[in-house]
mmCIF file of all heavy atoms in Angstrom:
data_model
loop_
_atom_site.group_PDB
_atom_site.id
_atom_site.type_symbol
_atom_site.label_atom_id
_atom_site.label_comp_id
_atom_site.label_asym_id
_atom_site.label_seq_id
_atom_site.Cartn_x
_atom_site.Cartn_y
_atom_site.Cartn_z
ATOM 1 N N ALA A 490 16.546 36.484 -28.189
ATOM 2 C CA ALA A 490 15.207 36.502 -28.776
ATOM 3 C C ALA A 490 15.115 37.538 -29.885
ATOM 4 O O ALA A 490 14.495 37.302 -30.927
ATOM 5 C CB ALA A 490 14.174 36.793 -27.684
ATOM 6 N N ALA A 491 15.750 38.694 -29.682
ATOM 7 C CA ALA A 491 15.743 39.741 -30.710
ATOM 8 C C ALA A 491 16.492 39.285 -31.953
ATOM 9 O O ALA A 491 16.063 39.540 -33.082
ATOM 10 C CB ALA A 491 16.366 41.016 -30.147
ATOM 11 N N ASP A 492 17.613 38.598 -31.752
ATOM 12 C CA ASP A 492 18.384 38.084 -32.892
ATOM 13 C C ASP A 492 17.573 37.063 -33.686
ATOM 14 O O ASP A 492 17.573 37.054 -34.911
ATOM 15 C CB ASP A 492 19.685 37.444 -32.410
ATOM 16 C CG ASP A 492 20.735 38.478 -32.034
ATOM 17 O OD1 ASP A 492 20.540 39.657 -32.378
ATOM 18 O OD2 ASP A 492 21.729 38.109 -31.394
ATOM 19 N N LEU A 493 16.846 36.195 -32.955
ATOM 20 C CA LEU A 493 16.028 35.198 -33.624
ATOM 21 C C LEU A 493 14.909 35.847 -34.424
ATOM 22 O O LEU A 493 14.604 35.434 -35.551
ATOM 23 C CB LEU A 493 15.444 34.229 -32.592
ATOM 24 C CG LEU A 493 16.420 33.204 -31.999
ATOM 25 C CD1 LEU A 493 15.770 32.464 -30.846
ATOM 26 C CD2 LEU A 493 16.860 32.205 -33.069
ATOM 27 N N ALA A 494 14.276 36.872 -33.837
ATOM 28 C CA ALA A 494 13.195 37.575 -34.529
ATOM 29 C C ALA A 494 13.715 38.255 -35.794
ATOM 30 O O ALA A 494 13.057 38.249 -36.835
ATOM 31 C CB ALA A 494 12.564 38.597 -33.591
ATOM 32 N N GLU A 495 14.909 38.836 -35.700
ATOM 33 C CA GLU A 495 15.508 39.489 -36.860
ATOM 34 C C GLU A 495 15.800 38.473 -37.965
ATOM 35 O O GLU A 495 15.568 38.740 -39.148
ATOM 36 C CB GLU A 495 16.794 40.203 -36.451
ATOM 37 C CG GLU A 495 17.455 40.972 -37.595
ATOM 38 C CD GLU A 495 18.708 41.698 -37.160
ATOM 39 O OE1 GLU A 495 18.987 41.708 -35.945
ATOM 40 O OE2 GLU A 495 19.397 42.242 -38.028
ATOM 41 N N GLU A 496 16.308 37.297 -37.569
ATOM 42 C CA GLU A 496 16.584 36.265 -38.568
ATOM 43 C C GLU A 496 15.296 35.809 -39.258
ATOM 44 O O GLU A 496 15.272 35.562 -40.464
ATOM 45 C CB GLU A 496 17.260 35.058 -37.897
ATOM 46 C CG GLU A 496 18.706 35.305 -37.504
ATOM 47 C CD GLU A 496 19.598 35.601 -38.688
ATOM 48 O OE1 GLU A 496 19.306 35.116 -39.788
ATOM 49 O OE2 GLU A 496 20.579 36.327 -38.513
ATOM 50 N N GLU A 497 14.191 35.694 -38.499
ATOM 51 C CA GLU A 497 12.913 35.288 -39.078
ATOM 52 C C GLU A 497 12.427 36.324 -40.092
ATOM 53 O O GLU A 497 11.915 35.973 -41.155
ATOM 54 C CB GLU A 497 11.883 35.083 -37.973
ATOM 55 C CG GLU A 497 12.144 33.851 -37.110
ATOM 56 C CD GLU A 497 11.136 33.706 -35.994
ATOM 57 O OE1 GLU A 497 10.235 34.564 -35.910
ATOM 58 O OE2 GLU A 497 11.238 32.740 -35.210
ATOM 59 N N LEU A 498 12.591 37.598 -39.751
ATOM 60 C CA LEU A 498 12.176 38.657 -40.674
ATOM 61 C C LEU A 498 13.002 38.626 -41.953
ATOM 62 O O LEU A 498 12.477 38.803 -43.062
ATOM 63 C CB LEU A 498 12.302 40.022 -39.990
ATOM 64 C CG LEU A 498 11.275 40.342 -38.903
ATOM 65 C CD1 LEU A 498 11.618 41.662 -38.218
ATOM 66 C CD2 LEU A 498 9.864 40.407 -39.495
ATOM 67 N N LEU A 499 14.319 38.393 -41.794
ATOM 68 C CA LEU A 499 15.182 38.313 -42.971
ATOM 69 C C LEU A 499 14.811 37.124 -43.847
ATOM 70 O O LEU A 499 14.812 37.214 -45.079
ATOM 71 C CB LEU A 499 16.650 38.216 -42.534
ATOM 72 C CG LEU A 499 17.262 39.491 -41.943
ATOM 73 C CD1 LEU A 499 18.650 39.205 -41.393
ATOM 74 C CD2 LEU A 499 17.324 40.593 -42.989
ATOM 75 N N ASP A 500 14.476 35.997 -43.207
ATOM 76 C CA ASP A 500 14.070 34.819 -43.982
ATOM 77 C C ASP A 500 12.806 35.101 -44.779
ATOM 78 O O ASP A 500 12.680 34.704 -45.945
ATOM 79 C CB ASP A 500 13.846 33.629 -43.034
ATOM 80 C CG ASP A 500 15.154 33.073 -42.505
ATOM 81 O OD1 ASP A 500 16.202 33.339 -43.102
ATOM 82 O OD2 ASP A 500 15.111 32.362 -41.476
ATOM 83 N N LYS A 501 11.852 35.788 -44.137
ATOM 84 C CA LYS A 501 10.604 36.115 -44.838
ATOM 85 C C LYS A 501 10.863 37.069 -45.988
ATOM 86 O O LYS A 501 10.246 36.976 -47.047
ATOM 87 C CB LYS A 501 9.606 36.725 -43.858
ATOM 88 C CG LYS A 501 9.057 35.737 -42.843
ATOM 89 C CD LYS A 501 8.087 36.411 -41.876
ATOM 90 C CE LYS A 501 7.552 35.398 -40.849
ATOM 91 N NZ LYS A 501 6.618 36.060 -39.887
ATOM 92 N N ALA A 502 11.799 38.023 -45.775
ATOM 93 C CA ALA A 502 12.106 38.981 -46.825
ATOM 94 C C ALA A 502 12.754 38.307 -48.030
ATOM 95 O O ALA A 502 12.596 38.777 -49.179
ATOM 96 C CB ALA A 502 13.029 40.074 -46.288
ATOM 97 N N ARG A 503 13.479 37.207 -47.782
ATOM 98 C CA ARG A 503 14.139 36.507 -48.880
ATOM 99 C C ARG A 503 13.169 35.649 -49.685
ATOM 100 O O ARG A 503 13.459 35.240 -50.801
ATOM 101 C CB ARG A 503 15.260 35.621 -48.339
ATOM 102 C CG ARG A 503 16.400 36.401 -47.661
ATOM 103 C CD ARG A 503 17.542 35.475 -47.317
ATOM 104 N NE ARG A 503 18.509 36.122 -46.457
ATOM 105 C CZ ARG A 503 18.622 35.903 -45.154
ATOM 106 N NH1 ARG A 503 17.817 35.040 -44.575
ATOM 107 N NH2 ARG A 503 19.522 36.529 -44.430
ATOM 108 N N MET A 504 12.005 35.306 -49.078
ATOM 109 C CA MET A 504 11.051 34.433 -49.743
ATOM 110 C C MET A 504 10.394 35.166 -50.912
ATOM 111 O O MET A 504 10.060 36.338 -50.813
ATOM 112 C CB MET A 504 9.963 33.966 -48.766
ATOM 113 C CG MET A 504 10.483 33.058 -47.659
ATOM 114 S SD MET A 504 9.197 32.660 -46.457
ATOM 115 C CE MET A 504 8.038 31.776 -47.508
ATOM 116 N N PRO A 505 10.193 34.486 -52.042
ATOM 117 C CA PRO A 505 9.529 35.128 -53.188
ATOM 118 C C PRO A 505 8.083 35.450 -52.863
ATOM 119 O O PRO A 505 7.422 34.720 -52.137
ATOM 120 C CB PRO A 505 9.624 34.071 -54.287
ATOM 121 C CG PRO A 505 9.776 32.770 -53.555
ATOM 122 C CD PRO A 505 10.565 33.088 -52.320
ATOM 123 N N CYS A 506 7.598 36.579 -53.367
ATOM 124 C CA CYS A 506 6.229 36.979 -53.105
ATOM 125 C C CYS A 506 5.268 36.028 -53.829
ATOM 126 O O CYS A 506 5.502 35.648 -54.977
ATOM 127 C CB CYS A 506 5.978 38.404 -53.601
ATOM 128 S SG CYS A 506 6.970 39.632 -52.740
ATOM 129 N N SER A 507 4.216 35.643 -53.149
ATOM 130 C CA SER A 507 3.217 34.759 -53.771
ATOM 131 C C SER A 507 2.280 35.604 -54.624
ATOM 132 O O SER A 507 1.972 36.752 -54.295
ATOM 133 C CB SER A 507 2.424 34.034 -52.687
ATOM 134 O OG SER A 507 1.802 34.954 -51.817
#
Side-chain angles (χ1 to χ4, degrees):
D492 283 347
L493 286 171
E495 183 179 353
E496 287 298 331
E497 289 178 1
L498 288 174
L499 289 173
D500 287 341
K501 290 179 181 179
R503 296 187 191 104
M504 294 175 63
C506 296
S507 57

